[in-house]
Structures are given as structure tokens and as C-alpha cells.
Amino acid sequence: MRDFGPDGLVFHSADEAWRLELGGWAQVENRVHDLGRTNEHDDLLLRRMRPYLQATAARYFDFRLMFDFGQYTATLQDAFADIHYWPEFRIRGGKFKEPVGLERLEDDRYIKFAERATPSQLVPDRDLGFDLHGILFGRRLEYAVGMFGGRADNTAASRYADHVLNEFAGRLFFHPFAGSERRSAANLGMGLAGTIGNESGAALDSFNSPGGRPFFEYSNGVSAAGTRYRIAPQFNDLWGPLAVLGEFVENAQTLSFSGTPGVGIAAAAPSTRTIANHAWQLTGGWMLTGEDNSFGPIEPRHNFDYALGALGAWEVVARLDQLVIDRTAFADGFAAADASAHAALEWAAGVNWYLNRYLRFQLDYTRCTFDGGGPAGHNLPVDSTLISEVQVQF
């Protein structure tokens, strides 16, 4: 049988034991930097273009392939198999998202802002590995535990090395009041995720504001040299038109420095040091047109139709987040205080217009201030960016 609808082009058997879906989405984004300044250029980019294929074979075996052709590169994003003979104990293997960051785990099609908040820069994206995951006790507990290759934060490139399974990741997420008649209680979720592994010589982070301005990088000669751990408490809730998400991430990495200490740094600065950075965010969204909010697809009560006076669904969103760099990094020469900021604090507001399930417009204003990073102890200039994005699903 063949169908075309919200899930794309679908071929399936009468009993749904065999199923093939073809679909995808594209996002075009425009960024206007530092409003009113003539020395800043604007960016227009194909942010994402992701066709996918997913299938179910013999009822209990799922497969997914997804590519990304956005930003003038071709990347294999997802390539995994998922065995779910027992729904409570599913086994997944291949390339997929590590179960850590809450906002990072959200589908790119459904995040509240065009760009994720700063905590997502301290957690992994997609990696090669295996995990065991499932939902227990009537949706009251979601869990995932697995072993992965261990990627630099905020990256999705594949890792090929002799020690492929180098990082343990785990996540527990509770819905303690699942089944309650009060929707705010029934949808309340809270959890804890983290990773621990050992990295040597791996690529290190550099951080950008959500508007795209670089504000931190490590000095030349700094490399991963030992244990890395991440810990991430998190929560979210849905209450009718309201959606709320919050998370905190601490990321600690043992680093080595083989370079020359900078000005003001003692010649005997330690060559190995554990640097612990952290970030947090609080994000909220409110459906102005009264639909139930969601961290998945939004279904307008009335799809946009100008002739009928139907306006689709409208949502306002707001966010506050911050990323803080361990001051030890500057004291010991692992980063230059006159080139990298100690902290970035962002607030953002936006409007999302869902014409229907397949077409969405986003308009966000983000303002990010920095602590340090400029010459002679000054702060980096404020980054204020207007981001507009159109998303089409097919």
C-alpha cells in the first residue's frame, strides 16, 4: 500500500509489519548582525537540507538514514538500526544522537528558536555507538545507556579510531505524575544525563554565540589529554499552550598545553589541567492561537487560508542562557584573555508562525553580551542578531 501525508511518502503492508517512509525538510536562514552597524555583513544560508529514509522490517526492526546537504557540505547525519522486540528494552546501533543534552535531543524541525542555546555547545551531537533504551512504568521513566566513540562537543562528524567505544553515556528522565488528570503535572519531566570517557589528542571546542559570533577558543598547543565528563540535570513541562524547558550542563576535560605561556603567565605554568566549563538555559513558548504546545510538531487548529480568514498557529518564545569558561583556563595560559571571553550571556525573543504542519516561519532577536575577550581587559562587543528562517517539510 502507498500513502502520502504528514509522514511523507509511505509504503507499507496491510498489517504495518513492513513500512518504508521517504521524507525530509529544508531550512533557509538569514542573519542580520549588529543592527545599524555598517561594518557587519549579513548571512543568507541553506541552514539544513535533510532528506531521510526510514523503514520497519518484520515489525521489530527499524532502520534510519538521513543526510544533510546544508551549508554547502554533504554529511551523513543518522545511520542506525533499532531492535524493539520488547518496547521497554530497545537496542540501537550506528550513528545517532548521544542521550545527553535535552535541547540537543529535540528534533531540529521542532526547536523553539532557529539556533540552539549555549548549553548545547557543551554536549555531544551524533556519534558512533550502541545503546539500550526504553520507557518503563507507564511512561514514568525513560532511560538510555550506551557506549560511544567520544566526539568533541557540539559536533556530529564520524569518529574512526582503534578504540571506537571510548565514552559511556547515560540518561534517566522521569515523568513522576504521568497519567494525572492535571496536564501540567502529567507532562512534567525531569532527569539527569551524563558522559564519562578518556580523550587524547581530540579536537577541542570553540564557542560561538547563538547569533554566530565566535567568542572563545583554546590556545595553540592545547589538546585533550585524559578524562572528560559531562553532567546535565534537565526538565521540561507542557501545560496547554505553554511549553517550558530548562537545563544545566557541566563539562570537565583534562587538557595538556605544550605551547609558550602568554604575557603575565608564569613560565612554570602547569602543562596538564582539568578545565570545567558550564552553561544553563531557560526557554519558554506560548501558543497565542490556543493550540496545545509541544516539543514535537505543532498542529494548527486552522491551517492558513487567507480566503477563509484562517491564520494558522502563532507562538511567542523567550530564552535566557549563559556559558561560563573556567577561569583556570586563562590563569594557566590555556586560553588568551585578550582574545577569548570568560562568559557569554544571551537573551532572546521570537515569533513562530505555523501555516500548517509543513511550513513554518521563525523570526528571532538574540542579544549576547560577553565578559572579557577584548584587548586591554575590555569586553567583546555586544552581539545582537536578527534571525529569520523558513522551514519546509516534504
Side-chain angles (χ1 to χ4, degrees):
M1 300 176 65
R2 180 181 64 192
D3 297 305
F4 183 73
D7 295 323
L9 182 60
V10 180
F11 301 87
H12 62 94
S13 61
D15 62 359
E16 295 283 350
W18 298 83
R19 182 181 177 91
L20 174 66
E21 298 179 20
L22 302 173
W25 70 93
Q27 296 170 336
V28 178
E29 185 173 295
N30 185 65
R31 300 176 185 173
V32 180
H33 297 280
D34 291 337
L35 303 179
R37 295 189 182 183
T38 58
N39 62 335
E40 292 287 345
H41 67 278
D42 300 338
D43 296 323
L44 177 65
L45 65 156
L46 180 60
R47 182 66 175 87
R48 299 178 180 92
M49 184 175 180
R50 296 186 173 177
Y52 67 83
L53 177 156
Q54 57 189 34
T56 298
R59 197 180 301 278
Y60 302 114
F61 304 90
D62 292 346
F63 306 90
R64 179 176 172 89
L65 286 174
M66 183 174 71
F67 296 87
D68 188 5
F69 298 99
Q71 304 187 64
Y72 312 106
T73 60
T75 305
L76 178 62
Q77 290 285 326
D78 289 333
F80 62 82
D82 191 291
I83 304 172
H84 51 96
Y85 190 82
W86 299 283
E88 298 82 5
F89 303 99
R90 304 171 67 122
I91 300 174
R92 179 174 295 181
K95 183 181 180 182
F96 54 97
K97 289 183 179 181
E98 285 195 41
V100 185
L102 182 58
E103 188 185 37
R104 173 60 67 189
L105 287 170
E106 289 185 354
D107 194 305
D108 298 286
R109 292 171 288 181
Y110 309 130
I111 53 178
K112 297 301 182 182
F113 285 85
E115 297 298 331
R116 286 181 168 88
T118 51
S120 290
Q121 298 190 52
L122 294 182
V123 299
D125 190 353
R126 292 167 169 86
D127 201 356
L128 295 174
F130 299 87
D131 82 0
L132 175 69
H133 64 282
I135 300 176
L136 302 173
F137 312 122
R139 203 178 68 87
R140 288 180 173 82
L141 172 63
E142 301 175 30
Y143 75 92
V145 291
M147 293 296 297
F148 297 86
R151 292 301 306 158
D153 302 319
N154 199 34
T155 63
S158 298
R159 175 185 174 92
Y160 300 99
D162 294 335
H163 51 288
V164 174
L165 299 181
N166 192 46
E167 181 170 85
F168 171 81
R171 179 173 183 260
L172 295 175
F173 199 76
F174 298 90
H175 293 276
F177 308 111
S180 170
E181 294 182 358
R182 297 185 60 183
R183 287 187 294 177
S184 59
N187 293 319
L188 175 64
M190 58 189 73
L192 182 68
T195 70
I196 187 167
N198 190 286
E199 294 294 327
S200 297
L204 294 179
D205 309 329
S206 58
F207 301 126
N208 299 332
S209 70
R213 171 172 288 171
F215 70 86
F216 177 86
E217 64 178 355
Y218 287 101
S219 303
N220 291 334
V222 177
S223 60
T227 301
R228 174 180 63 191
Y229 76 81
R230 307 178 183 95
I231 185 167
Q234 52 201 231
F235 82 94
N236 62 19
D237 199 5
L238 296 170
W239 188 5
L242 177 65
V244 180
L245 177 151
E247 62 181 326
F248 175 90
V249 178
E250 178 168 292
N251 181 315
Q253 168 73 69
T254 301
L255 304 177
S256 67
F257 180 38
S258 59
T260 302
V263 177
I265 304 300
S271 59
T272 301
R273 179 70 74 191
T274 297
I275 305 297
N277 306 320
H278 68 267
W280 58 268
Q281 73 155 313
L282 182 63
T283 298
W286 180 271
M287 299 301 303
L288 294 173
T289 43
E291 289 83 358
D292 284 342
N293 215 320
S294 171
F295 295 110
I298 298 293
E299 297 281 358
R301 288 180 174 177
H302 306 287
N303 291 336
F304 177 79
D305 190 325
Y306 180 78
L308 298 178
L311 300 179
W314 290 77
E315 179 185 29
V316 292
V317 291
R319 179 172 75 195
L320 184 66
D321 63 288
Q322 184 181 39
L323 192 155
V324 180
I325 306 298
D326 191 337
R327 289 192 180 274
T328 303
F330 300 97
D332 294 337
F334 286 69
D338 60 354
S340 293
H342 161 63
L345 175 66
E346 184 223 20
W347 67 263
V351 177
N352 298 328
W353 181 20
Y354 305 89
L355 284 80
N356 49 51
R357 184 169 177 173
Y358 313 101
L359 183 61
R360 180 185 69 179
F361 290 98
Q362 290 183 285
L363 182 65
D364 302 332
Y365 176 74
T366 171
R367 182 178 176 85
C368 196
T369 57
F370 306 98
D371 180 4
H378 292 91
N379 297 332
L380 288 173
V382 173
D383 177 25
S384 59
T385 306
L386 188 67
I387 304 175
S388 54
E389 183 178 276
V390 57
Q391 173 180 287
V392 179
Q393 298 189 60
F394 51 89

